[in-house]
């Protein structure tokens, strides 16, 4: 039997072909949408010429939605950092059943449809007109939706690091809880914090279902504007809006890959190998981390 007909090689070739087909199935529509936003007439194709006028039109009409989406995403990130990092640290340090119960409750909003979460918020807080008509109502919904990603990302990193031993060593040298948290916990949890932050920003900018229920005409975000553009305008305008949306989200996705993290907060093998090489060159992690509290205590 020829070499290329061996079962193992055929299996590898089949997997490669299937992967390329699936990639093409997902990528081709995106490419076509981008081309539609850059052509003068989509139905005539590239032969009609390329133009940026659709992007200029979208920016003129929806730039307020772009800035609002960024404001909401940054506000959501600030709140999830302030709440999620300490909560993740506490859950990682605790081995009680209550800690696991709280952790499961935090994941509950992910299991519910965004519309159900939005309806719950409307039924409870919809009567507060000032709050209902402000962007903070959407921020509250985004915090409920994205907080589990921050908590799980940071908790996974903290659980995989022997923080207890390092903190006990620092405490024996006189470091206070604040000093231990700032010089031991946060530096060791940084990969999880970065992963959670990128996930929160990406999810907040792209969230539609929950935002569609919570928004008002004055608080229209990027995904809601995208749906309106496709529903009420010509295809080229909606496609140009898609390009604008991709320009905002793709850098965040590329940053996740570059930093070696994924939205769930897991560290990639490449990033772990880099850290291991750095630690082996500069000394053990315990020695590095404990030197900061020692200097502080002195």
């Amino acid at each position: 039997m020829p070499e290329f007909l061996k079962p193992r090689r055929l299996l590898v070739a089949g997997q490669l072909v299937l992967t390329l087909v699936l990639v093409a199935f997902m990528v081709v529509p995106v490419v076509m949408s981008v081309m539609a936003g850059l052509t003068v007439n989509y139905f005539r194709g590239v032969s009609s010429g390329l133009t940026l006028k659709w992007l200029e039109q979208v920016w003129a009409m929806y730039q307020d939605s772009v800035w609002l989406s960024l404001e909401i995403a940054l506000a959501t990130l600030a709140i999830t950092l302030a709440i999620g990092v300490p909560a993740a640290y506490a859950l990682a340090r605790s081995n009680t059943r209550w800690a696991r119960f709280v952790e499961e409750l935090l994941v509950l909003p992910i299991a519910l449809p965004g519309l159900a979460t939005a309806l719950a918020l409307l039924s409870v807080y919809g009567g507060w007109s000032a709050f209902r008509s402000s962007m903070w109502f959407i921020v509250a919904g985004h915090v409920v939706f994205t907080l589990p990603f921050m908590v799980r990302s940071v908790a996974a990193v903290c659980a995989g690091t022997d923080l207890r031993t390092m903190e006990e060593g620092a405490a024996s040298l006189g470091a206070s809880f604040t000093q231990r948290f700032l010089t031991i916990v946060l530096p060791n949890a940084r990969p999880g914090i970065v992963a959670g932050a990128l996930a929160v920003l990406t999810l907040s900018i792209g969230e539609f279902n929950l935002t569609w229920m919570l928004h008002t005409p004055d608080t229209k975000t990027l995904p809601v504007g995208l749906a309106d553009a496709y529903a009420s305008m010509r295809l080229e305008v909606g496609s140009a809006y898609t390009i604008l949306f991709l320009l905002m989200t793709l850098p965040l996705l590329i940053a996740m890959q570059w930093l070696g993290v994924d939205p769930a907060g897991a560290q990639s093998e490449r990033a772990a190998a880099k850290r291991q090489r750095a630690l082996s060159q500069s000394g053990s992690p315990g020695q590095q981390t404990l030197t900061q509290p020692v200097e502080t205590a002195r």
Side-chain angles (χ1 to χ4, degrees):
M1 179 181 294
E3 187 72 18
F4 66 90
L5 290 180
K6 288 185 176 180
R8 185 172 181 181
R9 289 184 176 272
L10 287 176
L11 179 60
V12 172
Q15 292 174 338
L16 178 60
V17 171
L18 180 60
T19 301
L20 292 176
V21 170
L22 291 176
V23 169
F25 181 79
M26 294 183 291
V27 172
V28 169
V30 177
V31 174
M32 295 298 294
S33 181
V34 170
M35 291 303 300
L38 297 176
T39 54
V40 176
N41 190 310
Y42 171 73
F43 298 100
R44 291 174 54 192
V46 181
S47 60
S48 64
L50 300 177
T51 181
L52 295 177
K53 69 176 183 178
W54 305 121
L55 279 172
E56 295 172 356
Q57 181 178 338
V58 167
W59 179 255
M61 295 176 61
Y62 292 102
Q63 58 177 308
D64 292 340
S65 297
V66 174
W67 297 122
L68 180 63
S69 294
L70 288 175
E71 291 176 14
I72 290 175
L74 292 175
T76 302
L77 175 61
I79 296 174
T80 53
L81 283 173
I83 300 175
V85 175
Y89 167 71
L91 290 174
R93 286 292 305 269
S94 177
N95 294 322
T96 63
R97 292 183 179 179
W98 285 107
R100 305 287 76 81
F101 177 72
V102 171
E103 189 173 357
E104 294 302 323
L105 285 181
L106 287 173
V107 183
L108 187 60
I110 301 177
L112 294 175
L115 295 177
T117 303
L119 183 61
L121 291 173
L122 284 170
S123 62
V124 177
Y125 304 110
W128 301 3
S129 57
F131 181 47
R132 172 69 180 90
S133 59
S134 68
M135 78 168 196
W136 295 105
F137 195 53
I138 299 178
V139 171
H142 284 200
V143 169
V144 172
F145 177 67
T146 59
L147 185 61
F149 294 90
M150 177 64 73
V151 173
R152 295 298 293 268
S153 298
V154 179
V157 175
C158 290
T161 307
D162 193 7
L163 292 178
R164 186 183 298 274
T165 301
M166 291 186 283
E167 285 189 83
E168 290 176 353
S172 66
L173 296 171
S176 64
F177 173 78
T178 302
Q179 292 171 333
R180 298 196 303 271
F181 188 79
L182 295 177
T183 59
I184 295 178
V185 177
L186 291 183
N188 282 279
R190 184 175 60 182
I193 295 174
V194 173
L198 290 173
V200 167
L201 288 175
T202 305
L203 292 170
S204 179
I205 292 175
E207 169 56 33
F208 172 75
N209 292 332
L210 188 147
T211 309
W212 183 76
M213 284 283 289
L214 299 181
H215 89 284
T216 65
D218 295 328
T219 57
K220 183 183 295 184
T221 63
L222 201 63
V224 177
L226 177 60
D228 291 344
Y230 272 110
S232 59
M233 298 182 185
R234 57 184 296 170
L235 181 62
E236 292 85 354
V237 176
S239 299
Y241 203 119
T242 301
I243 296 175
L244 184 63
F245 188 84
L246 290 174
L247 290 175
M248 292 184 62
T249 55
L250 280 181
L252 296 174
L253 298 176
I254 293 173
M256 289 182 184
Q257 296 296 325
W258 183 72
L259 293 171
V261 295
D262 59 26
Q267 304 172 11
S268 69
E269 295 180 0
R270 181 177 57 187
K274 287 181 179 179
R275 286 194 301 275
Q276 186 63 35
R277 286 196 299 268
L279 290 174
S280 63
Q281 293 173 0
S282 57
S284 63
Q287 293 174 347
Q288 288 180 346
T289 313
L290 289 177
T291 53
Q292 296 177 351
V294 171
E295 294 176 358
T296 307
R298 289 177 180 174

